[in-house]
Amino acid sequence: MSSDAEQAPIFANRPVTLREVAAAAGVSVATASKALNGQGRMTAETRERIRETARHLGFRPNSLAQSLLRKRSFTVGLLTNDTYGRFSLPLMAGVSDALVDNGVSVFLCNVEDDQRLGQLHVEAMLDKRVDGIIATGKRIDRHLPVDLANLRIPVVYAFTQPDPGAIGFVSDDVGGARLAVEHFCRLGRRRIAHVSGPASFAVVHARAQAYRDVLAEHGLPAFEPLLGPWSEGWGHDAVARLFGGGGEPPDAIFCGNDQIARGVIDALRERGISVPDDVGVIGFDNWEIVAEATRPPLTSIDMNLASLGREAGLALLSLVGGQPAAPGIRKLPCRLVVRQSCGRPPGG
Amino acid sequence: MSSDAEQAPIFANRPVTLREVAAAAGVSVATASKALNGQGRMTAETRERIRETARHLGFRPNSLAQSLLRKRSFTVGLLTNDTYGRFSLPLMAGVSDALVDNGVSVFLCNVEDDQRLGQLHVEAMLDKRVDGIIATGKRIDRHLPVDLANLRIPVVYAFTQPDPGAIGFVSDDVGGARLAVEHFCRLGRRRIAHVSGPASFAVVHARAQAYRDVLAEHGLPAFEPLLGPWSEGWGHDAVARLFGGGGEPPDAIFCGNDQIARGVIDALRERGISVPDDVGVIGFDNWEIVAEATRPPLTSIDMNLASLGREAGLALLSLVGGQPAAPGIRKLPCRLVVRQSCGRPPGG
DNA sequence: AACGACTGGGAAAAGGTTTTCTCAGATAGG
DNA sequence: CCTATCTGAGAAAACCTTTTCCCAGTCGTT
């Protein structure tokens, strides 16, 4: 019965409806709706009075009712099989960032590699009338374990293999690899090696080819790319191969991911080889938690996943809005993040 | 005009409504609804005929319409400020796992540490009539930058500081630390040191106290806990302090997280000190990507975040269902994951 | 004075489902 | 044969908002 009790109940009970706002303002619900949405014709005073009443009552329109009518729920689903979120999370951040300002919320669904789970999540999303779906994964060259081809709502693929005829956003791995190798060339490195992941990954081939191309363009010799698991351990082993055999060792190593790069750097240090003085190292992914912990900190290629997510979110939004868009894969540029493992230019 | 064209249109156009099912089955929508939900009274044949019709037409009820009526949306919001998802993601996996079987979907909202963004997301969730909210963060002893206290929907806190009077789930850090130190005692280590994070974290104190308690219980000397950043670099420095000074060095080190532990292990190896023969090391968090990359692989304390998520999800569900629950903080046990960095029992 | 155009605002349908009532017919009991 | 009970099913309200008409009054024009 204090003054608190006078104000609180307005919010403490069930949400305020438009009907209540209309009653309080002495108009019909139709007028109230139009006043709040800037539609219809009425005197400025009436409109303002209704708005003021709504504000005072703490009115917030019921999204469910709006969605039912508008056939638009302002929600989208994000499907992923990237359990640890290495790639999905930055991507999700970008998506969310692009959508939240449009009042769109995101259902996150981790389907692992489980068909049944995928089916379950997709059906749940469909039942909830999501406006669209963004599919993302941990590998650019694999499909999610779920069929999104004939869904009657728009689907955008990001960092995963799109269905034919669909829209997909991926990082430009070739461009990223070129960035790294060209940087080494610019720094005056002459014997550049490449240590990467398993041959079963499409990106491994794309990057290796870019590596060879750039070296050829600069008239430099190419090492045979060393392929193995995406692990620190493999980085170690690769160094043993590069420096243990008889051949002339490299003065730079471009690694397929940051974990390999970390293994390489550790192995070089254990051999008394200085990074970056004797050998420069560049990684891929720019996983800060790894790149900043190596000694010295790791120069790496960033795939701009947040931008990728933004683009995907925006593309989905315009698709939902009815704008047609050409199917196909859009490659977004990578970015070189220079730290200390690659060395400085000759004159620097 | 092919036989495909005969079947496809049923699914290709707008979703099938209950009205259409009812018409096709020759009953009223009321009867159709009751048939599908197992409500009302009718002959078994009628019920089955309606169900068969619904199945054949691919009917799926419109969640929006159901939610509007039932005042229950079968969605919950997950709020986090843990950008990289270190802690949120396993937790989210647990939440999602607990809820998906109940048809509940999860809105993931990353609010960073931004008040405005937090407000925005919470309002969006409220507008969409989420049934409840799970708040989670990257620190057990901090609040999210958003007030969830008087929300008229249930809120459960997981791995973040709950509001007074609310329900929270956290890991039992004291128990976890005891697990680690007791394991060292069991292995016959006598001089156990503790290297942990910044004093500003509550868990640092809790774990340090547990460390001291266990040593006291075993009549062993305690080192003064070494506090610093949660980084590999600090692990290195701490080793320099423990082994560089005059005092008798430890034969075991309990680290506050896995990154520190990794720095410790690397530093020990550089000094020619064998892990686990000369010094055992145990970490905290069981972050597999780190724990499995150290040489030797790191024994660590796992906080069972997925279970924490499951519990939080289930608790929220029962709250939403109207079951009352006592407020307070529930501590869930940690788990010791033995790898190779801690050594084996004397006789083993 | 009569007509048209405009103005401010309301009534009602629509969106898809659930649930409460109601009701006609069938069965059983006296 | 007449009433009480039960059975199967439908009509309609409800959830909350948006939008399309529609209407009554006012103003200006001839």
Side-chain angles (χ1 to χ4, degrees):
Chain A
M1 311 310 161
S2 70
S3 66
D4 275 354
E6 299 285 297
Q7 302 198 334
I10 293 176
F11 300 102
N13 296 327
R14 83 189 80 266
V16 172
T17 70
L18 185 61
R19 184 198 308 277
E20 294 168 304
V21 173
V27 296
S28 70
V29 287
T31 306
S33 170
K34 283 180 283 200
L36 297 175
N37 294 320
Q39 307 288 326
R41 287 177 316 204
M42 69 197 70
T43 55
E45 302 140 65
T46 307
R47 197 181 292 277
E48 191 42 49
R49 174 165 49 88
I50 295 172
R51 290 201 162 147
E52 180 51 35
T53 310
R55 223 172 355 249
H56 177 242
L57 259 39
F59 170 74
R60 309 226 71 203
N62 184 332
S63 260
L64 260 27
Q66 291 182 316
S67 303
L68 187 56
L69 204 51
R70 293 182 175 163
K71 304 192 165 310
R72 179 88 204 274
S73 67
F74 289 90
T75 59
V76 306
L78 186 70
L79 229 44
T80 174
N81 66 349
D82 175 20
T83 314
Y84 291 104
R86 253 303 275 307
F87 304 114
S88 318
L89 239 109
L91 208 139
M92 159 93 196
V95 170
S96 180
D97 184 49
L99 298 184
V100 70
D101 289 322
N102 296 278
V104 175
S105 304
V106 181
F107 285 120
L108 181 59
C109 303
N110 181 355
V111 302
E112 307 285 343
D113 285 310
D114 183 341
Q115 282 243 5
R116 178 197 139 266
L117 203 56
Q119 183 76 8
L120 200 62
H121 276 299
V122 170
E123 285 179 0
M125 285 166 26
L126 253 26
D127 288 350
K128 295 195 168 99
R129 296 305 193 263
V130 294
D131 295 331
I133 292 182
I134 296 178
T136 175
K138 58 191 166 196
R139 275 185 71 166
I140 237 170
D141 55 350
R142 282 284 187 276
H143 287 283
L144 286 180
V146 53
D147 180 23
L148 303 172
N150 303 304
L151 233 44
R152 103 176 141 242
I153 56 173
V155 177
V156 168
Y157 296 77
F159 206 77
T160 191
Q161 183 70 24
D163 285 316
I167 295 179
F169 291 86
V170 300
S171 52
D172 178 11
D173 281 279
V174 167
R178 294 190 66 99
L179 239 38
V181 183
E182 280 167 355
H183 190 65
F184 274 143
C185 293
R186 230 175 2 251
L187 294 177
R189 307 282 173 170
R190 315 293 300 169
R191 298 187 47 74
I192 305 169
H194 182 37
V195 180
S196 193
S200 59
F201 281 69
V203 293
V204 167
H205 297 285
R207 295 175 194 170
Q209 191 55 50
Y211 157 80
R212 277 189 282 255
D213 290 348
V214 173
L215 292 183
E217 290 163 19
H218 285 76
L220 294 176
F223 287 68
E224 185 59 27
L226 261 34
L227 307 188
W230 294 114
S231 69
E232 287 191 32
W234 164 234
H236 273 271
D237 297 350
V239 166
R241 291 213 213 161
L242 287 168
F243 292 83
E248 196 184 342
D251 61 2
I253 305 177
F254 167 43
C255 301
N257 79 355
D258 291 344
Q259 286 161 277
I260 293 175
R262 164 137 207 193
V264 165
I265 288 181
D266 285 352
L268 290 172
R269 186 174 47 248
E270 283 167 22
R271 287 177 174 260
I273 298 169
S274 164
V275 175
D277 293 341
D278 300 330
V279 177
V281 177
I282 298 184
F284 210 106
D285 289 353
N286 191 34
W287 194 13
E288 297 192 353
I289 206 86
V290 174
E292 290 175 355
T294 61
R295 290 172 296 156
L298 181 65
T299 292
S300 187
I301 302 295
D302 191 305
M303 294 187 283
N304 290 324
L305 290 172
S307 305
L308 208 72
R310 286 189 59 84
E311 294 293 324
L314 261 18
L316 185 62
L317 220 50
S318 85
L319 238 37
V320 168
Q323 314 280 331
I329 296 185
R330 281 106 161 122
K331 296 198 175 179
L332 265 51
C334 298
R335 176 170 53 104
L336 177 73
V337 177
V338 176
R339 294 196 183 83
Q340 296 162 38
S341 66
C342 57
R344 276 184 277 179
Chain B
M1 312 306 161
S2 69
S3 67
D4 275 354
E6 298 287 297
Q7 302 196 334
I10 293 177
F11 300 100
N13 296 327
R14 81 190 83 266
V16 170
T17 69
L18 184 60
R19 184 196 309 276
E20 294 168 309
V21 173
V27 296
S28 70
V29 287
T31 306
S33 170
K34 283 180 284 199
L36 297 175
N37 294 321
Q39 306 288 325
R41 289 177 315 204
M42 67 197 68
T43 56
E45 304 139 64
T46 308
R47 196 181 292 276
E48 191 42 48
R49 174 166 48 89
I50 296 171
R51 289 201 163 145
E52 181 50 37
T53 310
R55 230 182 336 259
H56 177 241
L57 260 40
F59 170 74
R60 310 225 72 204
N62 184 330
S63 261
L64 260 27
Q66 290 182 317
S67 302
L68 186 57
L69 203 52
R70 293 182 176 162
K71 303 188 167 310
R72 181 85 205 275
S73 67
F74 290 89
T75 59
V76 306
L78 186 69
L79 230 44
T80 175
N81 66 349
D82 175 18
T83 314
Y84 291 103
R86 254 301 277 305
F87 304 115
S88 318
L89 242 114
L91 209 139
M92 161 93 195
V95 169
S96 181
D97 184 49
L99 298 184
V100 71
D101 290 320
N102 296 279
V104 175
S105 304
V106 181
F107 285 122
L108 181 59
C109 304
N110 181 357
V111 302
E112 307 286 342
D113 285 311
D114 183 340
Q115 282 244 3
R116 177 197 140 268
L117 203 56
Q119 183 77 10
L120 200 61
H121 276 299
V122 169
E123 285 179 358
M125 285 167 28
L126 253 26
D127 287 350
K128 294 194 169 99
R129 296 304 191 263
V130 294
D131 295 331
I133 291 180
I134 297 178
T136 176
K138 58 190 167 198
R139 276 186 70 166
I140 236 169
D141 56 348
R142 282 285 187 277
H143 287 283
L144 286 179
V146 52
D147 180 21
L148 304 172
N150 303 304
L151 233 45
R152 103 177 142 242
I153 57 172
V155 177
V156 168
Y157 296 77
F159 207 76
T160 190
Q161 184 70 24
D163 286 315
I167 296 179
F169 291 86
V170 299
S171 52
D172 179 10
D173 281 278
V174 167
R178 294 190 66 100
L179 240 38
V181 184
E182 280 167 356
H183 190 65
F184 275 145
C185 292
R186 226 170 11 245
L187 294 177
R189 308 281 173 169
R190 316 292 300 168
R191 299 187 46 75
I192 304 168
H194 182 37
V195 180
S196 194
S200 58
F201 280 68
V203 292
V204 166
H205 297 285
R207 295 175 192 170
Q209 191 56 49
Y211 157 80
R212 277 189 282 255
D213 289 349
V214 172
L215 292 183
E217 288 163 19
H218 285 75
L220 293 175
F223 287 68
E224 185 58 28
L226 261 34
L227 307 188
W230 293 115
S231 68
E232 287 190 34
W234 165 234
H236 274 271
D237 297 349
V239 166
R241 290 214 213 162
L242 286 168
F243 292 81
E248 197 184 342
D251 60 3
I253 305 177
F254 167 44
C255 301
N257 77 355
D258 290 345
Q259 286 161 277
I260 294 175
R262 162 134 209 197
V264 164
I265 288 180
D266 284 352
L268 289 173
R269 186 174 47 251
E270 283 167 23
R271 288 175 175 260
I273 299 169
S274 162
V275 175
D277 293 342
D278 300 332
V279 176
V281 177
I282 297 184
F284 211 104
D285 290 351
N286 192 35
W287 194 13
E288 298 192 353
I289 206 87
V290 174
E292 290 174 354
T294 61
R295 289 172 297 157
L298 182 64
T299 293
S300 186
I301 302 296
D302 191 304
M303 294 189 282
N304 289 324
L305 290 172
S307 306
L308 208 71
R310 285 190 60 84
E311 294 292 324
L314 261 19
L316 185 61
L317 219 51
S318 86
L319 238 37
V320 169
Q323 314 280 330
I329 296 185
R330 282 108 162 119
K331 297 198 175 179
L332 266 50
C334 298
R335 176 169 54 104
L336 177 73
V337 177
V338 177
R339 294 195 184 84
Q340 296 162 37
S341 68
C342 57
R344 278 185 275 181

